């Protein structure tokens, strides 16, 4: 009898142990690398939580490290999904600064550059190839913002996060895997996602670290050896990486860099989920499909998972645990700032840009100032790291920075089927101290347009920042009508216009998107032309010289996404200019008018509005509006000696690229309004079909009298139209465009223009 009871007791103990073991199973989840495909991990976590599968540990590599860290920080899978589907995430992965933080005040004037080469004067003409395709500034700040509070709440021990966490990075010098189990959470994730040539690597404790997938793309061994789970659930998308192609460099780099070995779960009781996602490594254009793929793949295995894991998580207890963890997170408020990598004066400039006042700075005030610093052309690199200071109750901010190289050389221009081709070159020297100084020179060299400009910019990072900019510019326009070939010219130039000016500008920001500029200076405009189209090589041209002093004020707001052929954003400009000067005209052999010398004085007002209404999608709409008015300030009118000289001194309506290269008297007037509509069909964000139409209405047209003098027409006597259909491809160095254009009542109303590069110029004296 005792023997029977002993057997029953032993059986009871065994059953009790098995039941207890089943209900105390520890579950680890491993998330692989895989680029954009790794967003499928979010769907996997979502399915596990919905089915109350407990997750006791989580780790990952690369994109898997990011998703795992977000989950370990207390974010729900639904919250992570919301973040990934947002515009913010799109900016992070493509290196774009949020439009509301783009600092127009720091933008340089648009020019025709294609490429830039940065050099350093303190080395032997040293140059470096770029180490990253996208700017790390947005993702660096986002990781700090989203993970610093969780790291502080865990006292920088990853076992004390909402869910214990591990991630891996690659030390390419020692050719080994680095496992993060403590320290700065954002820094650990940043190291793990540093995909070579895509995102710049970072240095942690003296080691230059890259994407963890180089040596361990599925770190189930790290989970098994460091967390000791009873069962591991692995979500692996690394099998979606395509095989190398002899004509695809990126696929070859992936095959060389990413380790696809050890994709088995390092646990005798493991389960693998393999979402089937067909996106490329850096294609984050459809995150919803990737997330759904992971959700479907996990649900296909959910019954198998439930049969292997007896435990279930309680949603109410899980929510309570999240709330308790969030309650321990200190608010992200910055106290002391420590700058590493810059000299003392340079650090003073940085503090001025950040505008830090008082003892603490909340995140909402610090963030705009940070991105102003990230956009500063004198700063090459900035990496933020926030560490909670329990004595002060705020975060010490550590900024690891590098100054931009001293010299920037730019090359570019335009190649066209019309004789408007040109070469552009520019050099800039940058000095960073307590103030920022830039010295810039550029030149355009072409048949239609030639120019040279030199200017300096002194940036003062005060409470109200401003810059002072002296400049001197020489422009030469050679309009002609005898040739449509590149270099052939069988007659003297029909019209040559030169302007030279020396201006001093003072500018300050009104907000992130706009700036106010005031300035003035002296200018000289010289025009050489023939009043009759019937001229020979023996004829002499009329010559009009206008020496002037001028003052100007302008307000500009600019969020356009491209310097030419924009498809997103808004430009608004409001400009006023005062002009007073002396005109002297010396007639040529084709003129019937006598020489003249006159004083002219006027004010000129211009308003321009260019807006694109739809930011995403295939079809985008745009509107354009422009208005100009010139008012004489003396008793005489502002007509010059003859009609051509008057037309040349008048504002021109030039809404499309080709019109900026043409001399069209019908589209010049002292007062006019104009409107335009744009319909843009975009294919894959790189090819646009643009259909544009513009209506131009001069108030009183400038009319040529029989003796070549000028008079006004009746108000609103005529109106004109411009139309354009163009196919534009956006290449990494510039636009490639083919267009058919129409100009109402021009001698040749239709034209065809092909060009590669930018049709952009230095500003004219009266712009």
């Amino acid at each position: 009898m005792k023997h029977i009871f002993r057997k029953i007791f032993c059986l009871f103990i065994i059953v009790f142990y098995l039941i207890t073991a089943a209900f105390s199973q520890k579950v680890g989840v491993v998330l692989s690398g895989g680029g954009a495909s790794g967003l499928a991990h979010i769907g996997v976590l979502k399915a596990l939580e919905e089915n109350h599968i407990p997750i006791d540990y989580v780790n990952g590599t690369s994109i898997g490290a990011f998703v795992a860290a977000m989950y370990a920080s207390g974010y729900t899978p639904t919250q992570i999904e919301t973040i990934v589907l947002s515009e913010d995430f799109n900016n992070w992965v493509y290196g774009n600064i949020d439009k509301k933080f783009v600092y127009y005040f720091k933008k340089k004037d648009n020019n025709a550059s294609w490429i830039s080469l940065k050099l350093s004067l303190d080395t032997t003409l040293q140059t470096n190839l770029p180490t990253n395709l996208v700017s790390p500034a947005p993702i660096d700040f986002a990781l700090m913002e989203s993970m610093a509070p969780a790291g502080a709440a865990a006292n920088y021990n990853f076992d004390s996060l909402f869910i214990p966490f591990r991630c891996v990075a690659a030390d390419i010098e020692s050719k080994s895997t680095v496992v993060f189990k403590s320290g700065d959470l954002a820094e650990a994730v940043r190291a793990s996602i540093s995909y070579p040539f895509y995102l710049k690597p970072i240095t942690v404790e003296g080691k230059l670290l890259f994407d963890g997938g180089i040596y361990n793309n599925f770190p189930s061994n790290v989970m098994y050896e460091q967390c000791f789970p009873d069962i591991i659930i692995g979500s692996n998308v690394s099998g979606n990486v395509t095989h190398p192609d002899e004509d695809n460099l990126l696929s070859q780099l992936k095959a060389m860099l990413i380790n696809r070995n050890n994709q088995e779960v390092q646990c005798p009781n493991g389960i693998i989920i393999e979402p089937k996602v067909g996106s490329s490594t850096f294609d984050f254009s459809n995150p919803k499909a990737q997330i759904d793929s992971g959700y479907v793949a996990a649900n296909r295995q959910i019954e198998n998972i439930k049969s292997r894991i007896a435990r279930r998580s309680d949603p109410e207890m899980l929510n309570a645990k999240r709330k308790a963890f969030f309650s321990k997170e200190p608010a992200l408020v910055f106290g002391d700032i420590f700058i590493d990598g810059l000299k003392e004066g340079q650090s003073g400039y940085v503090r001025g840009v950040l505008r830090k006042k008082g003892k603490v700075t909340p995140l909402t005030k610090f963030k705009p100032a940070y991105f102003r610093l990230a956009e500063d052309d004198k700063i090459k690199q900035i990496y933020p790291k926030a560490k909670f200071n329990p004595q002060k109750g705020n975060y010490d901010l550590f900024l690891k920075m590098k100054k931009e190289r001293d010299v920037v050389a730019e090359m570019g221009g335009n190649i066209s089927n019309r004789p408007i081709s040109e070469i552009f070159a520019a050099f800039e020297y940058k000095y960073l101290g307590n103030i920022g100084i830039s010295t810039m020179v550029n030149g355009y060299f072409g048949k239609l347009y030639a120019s040279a400009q030199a200017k300096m910019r002194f940036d003062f990072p005060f409470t109200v920042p401003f810059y002072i900019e002296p400049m001197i510019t020489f422009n030469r326009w050679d309009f002609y009508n005898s040739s449509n070939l590149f270099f052939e010219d069988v007659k003297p130039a029909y019209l040559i216009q030169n302007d030279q000016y020396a201006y001093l500008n003072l500018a300050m920001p009104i907000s992130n998107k706009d700036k106010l500029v005031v300035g003035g200076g002296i200018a000289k405009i010289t025009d050489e032309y023939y009043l009759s189209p019937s001229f020979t090589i023996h004829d002499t041209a009329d010559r009009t010289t206008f020496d002037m002093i001028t003052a100007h004020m302008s307000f500009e707001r600019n969020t356009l996404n491209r310097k030419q052929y924009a498809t997103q954003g808004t430009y608004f400009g409001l400009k006023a200019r005062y002009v007073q000067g002396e005109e002297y005209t010396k007639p040529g052999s084709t003129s019937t008018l006598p020489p003249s010398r006159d004083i002219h004085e006027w004010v000129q007002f211009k308003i321009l509005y260019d807006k694109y209404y739809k930011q995403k999608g295939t079809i985008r709409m745009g509107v354009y509006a422009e208005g100009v008015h010139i008012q004489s300030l003396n008793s005489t009118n502002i007509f010059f000696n003859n009609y051509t000289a008057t037309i040349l001194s008048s504002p021109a309506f030039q809404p499309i690229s080709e019109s900026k290269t043409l001399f069209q008297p019908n589209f010049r007037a002292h007062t006019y309004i104009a409107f335009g509509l744009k319909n843009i069909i975009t294919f894959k964000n790189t090819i646009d079909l643009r259909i544009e139409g513009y209506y131009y209405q001069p108030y009183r047209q400038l009319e040529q009298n029989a003796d070549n003098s000028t008079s006004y027409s009746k108000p609103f006597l005529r109106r004109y139209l411009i139309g354009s259909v163009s196919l534009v491809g956006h290449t990494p160095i510039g636009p490639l465009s083919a267009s058919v254009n129409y100009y109402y009542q021009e001698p040749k109303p239709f034209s065809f223009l092909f060009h590669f590069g930018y049709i952009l110029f230095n500003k004219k004296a009266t712009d």
Side-chain angles (χ1 to χ4, degrees):
M1 196 70 177
K2 290 182 180 179
H3 181 68
I4 294 174
F5 279 117
R6 187 179 295 113
K7 287 184 177 180
I8 294 174
F9 179 77
C10 290
L11 181 61
F12 174 80
I13 293 296
I14 292 171
V15 171
F16 177 81
Y17 173 79
L18 290 174
I19 293 174
T20 302
F23 280 90
S24 64
Q25 284 176 310
K26 295 296 183 181
V27 180
V29 173
V30 179
L31 309 179
S32 76
S37 299
L39 297 180
H41 300 321
I42 302 169
V44 171
L45 294 175
K46 187 177 180 181
L48 295 178
E49 273 213 1
E50 285 183 357
N51 287 276
H52 312 305
I53 304 300
I55 300 175
D56 299 293
Y57 313 99
V58 63
N59 75 0
T61 292
S62 193
I63 187 69
F66 169 76
V67 175
M70 293 292 283
Y71 189 75
S73 297
Y75 294 91
T76 68
T78 301
Q79 289 172 328
I80 302 172
E81 180 179 21
T82 300
I83 291 171
V84 166
L85 296 180
S86 70
E87 184 69 23
D88 287 341
F89 183 79
N90 190 72
N91 290 333
W92 302 348
V93 297
Y94 292 119
N96 300 322
I97 293 176
D98 192 311
K99 293 180 181 63
K100 64 187 176 186
F101 297 125
V102 172
Y103 198 30
Y104 178 56
F105 178 68
K106 284 292 184 182
K107 299 294 183 183
K108 297 187 295 184
D109 290 339
N110 290 334
N111 60 40
S113 65
W114 296 350
I115 58 173
S116 62
L117 182 65
K118 298 175 181 178
L119 306 95
S120 180
L121 295 182
D122 56 5
T123 60
T124 310
L125 201 62
Q126 180 180 342
T127 63
N128 280 350
L129 292 174
T131 58
N132 52 293
L133 295 176
V134 303
S135 167
I139 187 68
D140 289 348
F141 195 90
L143 291 175
M144 180 190 71
E145 181 181 358
S146 59
M147 297 181 184
N155 198 25
Y156 303 101
N157 181 351
F158 294 173
D159 287 331
S160 300
L161 290 165
F162 169 71
I163 300 291
F165 165 78
R166 297 288 187 274
C167 74
V168 299
D171 179 357
I172 61 170
E173 185 176 7
S174 65
K175 295 180 173 53
S176 63
T177 294
V178 175
V179 179
F180 287 95
K181 59 182 179 179
S182 62
D184 187 273
L185 179 62
E187 185 178 60
V189 174
R190 176 62 174 80
S192 187
I193 65 174
S194 300
Y195 197 97
F197 308 114
Y198 181 75
L199 196 61
K200 184 184 290 290
I202 65 170
T203 300
V204 181
E205 296 182 355
K207 298 178 180 178
L208 186 65
L209 300 183
F210 286 83
D211 190 292
I214 293 177
Y215 299 128
N216 192 344
N217 205 38
F218 186 63
S220 60
N221 63 317
V222 174
M223 173 66 75
Y224 189 65
E225 294 166 4
Q226 295 207 6
C227 300
F228 314 109
D230 298 295
I231 187 168
I232 293 177
I233 300 174
S235 177
N236 182 22
V237 297
S238 59
N240 294 322
V241 178
T242 57
H243 293 288
D245 187 303
E246 63 181 6
D247 296 319
N248 189 322
L249 177 61
L250 190 58
S251 70
Q252 297 168 23
L253 288 172
K254 291 178 192 174
M256 288 187 288
L257 294 172
I258 301 302
N259 183 354
R260 287 189 282 183
N261 296 326
N262 301 322
Q263 296 184 25
E264 299 296 328
V265 175
Q266 302 294 310
C267 176
N269 199 21
I271 301 169
I272 282 282
I273 300 170
E274 295 185 297
K276 300 301 180 184
V277 183
S279 63
S280 65
T281 303
F282 307 127
D283 182 10
F284 292 90
S285 60
N286 192 6
K288 181 63 176 174
Q290 296 153 352
I291 294 169
D292 290 346
S293 174
Y295 183 78
V296 169
N299 275 317
R300 284 176 179 163
Q301 293 217 45
I302 204 66
E303 294 305 321
N304 178 36
I305 293 171
K306 287 181 176 179
S307 69
R308 306 272 290 277
I309 301 173
R311 279 177 60 214
R312 296 291 178 267
S313 63
D314 185 321
E316 292 185 2
M317 291 182 63
L318 195 61
N319 288 336
K321 181 181 176 183
R322 279 195 170 98
K323 289 181 180 178
F325 183 77
F326 286 144
S327 68
K328 297 190 298 181
E329 293 186 352
L332 199 56
V333 176
F334 300 106
D336 293 332
I337 296 179
F338 301 92
I339 299 171
D340 180 37
L342 299 180
K343 297 177 181 178
E344 184 177 349
Q346 297 166 348
S347 297
Y349 177 87
V350 168
R351 294 179 189 278
V353 174
L354 293 176
R355 299 190 199 177
K356 189 175 186 309
K357 289 184 176 182
K359 295 182 179 179
V360 296
T361 305
L363 177 68
T364 53
K365 290 187 176 181
F366 179 79
K367 192 171 182 178
Y370 175 87
F371 282 111
R372 290 176 183 178
L373 184 63
E375 288 188 278
D376 196 297
D377 63 352
K378 298 170 187 63
I379 302 298
K380 179 180 181 180
Q381 179 180 328
I382 174 172
Y383 180 76
K385 184 175 176 180
K387 185 172 183 180
F388 185 67
N389 188 326
Q391 286 76 32
K392 296 182 179 179
N394 53 48
Y395 290 80
D396 292 333
L397 181 65
F398 299 86
L399 299 178
K400 187 180 295 184
M401 304 187 67
K402 288 184 180 179
K403 181 179 75 71
E404 187 52 275
R405 293 181 179 273
D406 304 299
V407 178
V408 177
E410 296 179 300
M411 292 291 293
N414 177 52
I415 301 171
S416 174
N417 67 307
R418 286 189 50 235
I420 61 173
S421 301
E422 64 188 14
I423 296 172
F424 171 81
F427 294 90
E428 179 179 5
Y429 171 73
K430 301 176 182 180
Y431 168 81
L432 182 60
N434 287 315
I435 64 172
I437 303 175
S438 297
T439 302
M440 296 160 277
V441 295
N442 72 44
Y444 289 83
F445 311 94
K447 181 167 182 55
L448 168 73
Y449 177 70
S451 178
Q453 183 180 82
K455 61 182 178 180
M456 297 183 72
R457 173 166 162 163
F458 301 85
D459 280 281
F460 297 86
F462 296 161
T463 302
V464 178
F466 66 92
Y467 68 75
I468 297 175
E469 185 180 60
M471 67 169 64
I472 183 168
T473 305
F474 300 87
N475 291 318
R476 176 182 172 89
W477 296 84
D478 186 349
F479 296 96
Y480 47 91
N481 62 1
S482 61
S483 172
N484 279 324
L485 301 177
F486 278 95
F487 300 108
E488 181 183 347
D489 190 13
V490 296
K491 284 187 178 181
Y494 174 66
L495 186 155
I496 295 177
Q497 185 174 46
N498 295 275
D499 71 40
Q500 308 162 28
Y501 60 87
Y503 289 167
L504 179 66
N505 293 326
L506 170 67
M508 62 187 67
I510 305 300
S511 71
N512 262 28
K513 300 180 180 68
D514 43 49
K515 67 179 179 180
L516 179 69
V517 181
V518 295
I522 59 174
K524 181 175 184 176
I525 301 174
T526 304
D527 301 325
E528 297 181 28
Y529 50 87
Y530 293 87
L531 292 178
S532 170
S534 301
F535 60 91
T536 70
I537 195 171
H538 302 291
D539 285 313
T540 58
D542 288 59
R543 182 184 178 94
T544 296
T545 301
F546 185 55
D547 294 304
M548 71 180 194
I549 59 172
T550 181
H552 57 266
M553 181 172 67
S554 66
F555 172 84
E556 289 185 305
R557 169 173 288 233
N558 193 344
T559 61
L560 296 179
N561 63 329
R562 297 189 179 101
K563 56 186 178 181
Q564 193 169 14
Y565 300 117
T567 57
Q568 297 178 22
T570 301
Y571 174 86
F572 175 74
L574 184 61
K575 304 178 181 180
R577 179 179 292 277
Y578 166 80
V579 174
Q580 194 276 332
E582 182 180 31
E583 171 221 349
Y584 174 69
T585 297
K586 180 181 179 182
S589 60
T590 62
S591 176
T592 60
L593 295 172
S596 67
R597 188 183 299 271
D598 291 299
I599 301 297
H600 300 287
E601 185 178 17
W602 71 80
V603 289
Q604 175 179 318
F605 302 96
K606 181 176 183 178
I607 184 170
L608 194 154
Y609 182 72
D610 189 11
K611 181 175 178 62
Y612 298 87
Y613 279 98
K614 195 175 179 183
Q615 303 298 316
K616 290 184 176 181
T618 302
I619 299 177
R620 305 177 187 183
M621 299 295 296
V623 297
Y624 183 96
E626 183 177 320
V628 168
H629 175 63
I630 290 181
Q631 179 65 50
S632 177
L633 294 180
N634 57 20
S635 57
T636 62
N637 59 45
I638 52 177
F639 296 150
F640 278 41
N641 172 270
N642 56 67
Y643 171 75
T644 302
T646 303
I647 282 288
L648 283 168
S649 67
S650 302
F653 177 61
Q654 300 170 318
I656 62 176
S657 297
E658 186 190 46
S659 64
K660 294 177 172 59
T661 70
L662 301 174
F663 174 61
Q664 298 174 305
N666 286 338
F667 291 94
R668 289 175 177 251
H670 290 158
T671 301
Y672 66 80
I673 57 173
F675 303 95
L677 291 175
K678 308 175 189 182
N679 190 358
I680 303 169
I681 303 174
T682 298
F683 307 95
K684 294 186 177 181
N685 290 322
T686 57
I687 299 176
D688 299 330
L689 176 63
R690 302 176 68 97
I691 304 170
E692 305 175 51
Y694 300 90
Y695 172 89
Y696 168 77
Q697 176 65 71
Y699 171 55
R700 290 185 298 177
Q701 193 162 3
L702 296 169
E703 302 235 328
Q704 184 174 15
N705 299 325
D707 62 352
N708 283 325
S709 63
T710 312
S711 62
Y712 283 128
S713 71
K714 294 180 180 179
F716 306 111
L717 179 64
R718 301 183 187 90
R719 58 216 46 88
Y720 300 88
L721 302 173
I722 294 178
S724 177
V725 177
S726 58
L727 189 65
V728 181
H730 300 282
T731 76
I733 61 174
L736 178 67
S737 172
S739 63
V740 176
N741 307 302
Y742 171 74
Y743 305 97
Y744 178 68
Q745 288 194 355
E746 287 294 293
K748 295 181 179 179
F750 287 98
S751 68
F752 172 75
L753 174 67
F754 167 84
H755 77 93
F756 174 69
Y758 295 98
I759 302 179
L760 295 171
F761 315 104
N762 287 326
K763 290 182 179 180
K764 295 182 179 179
T766 54
D767 279 352

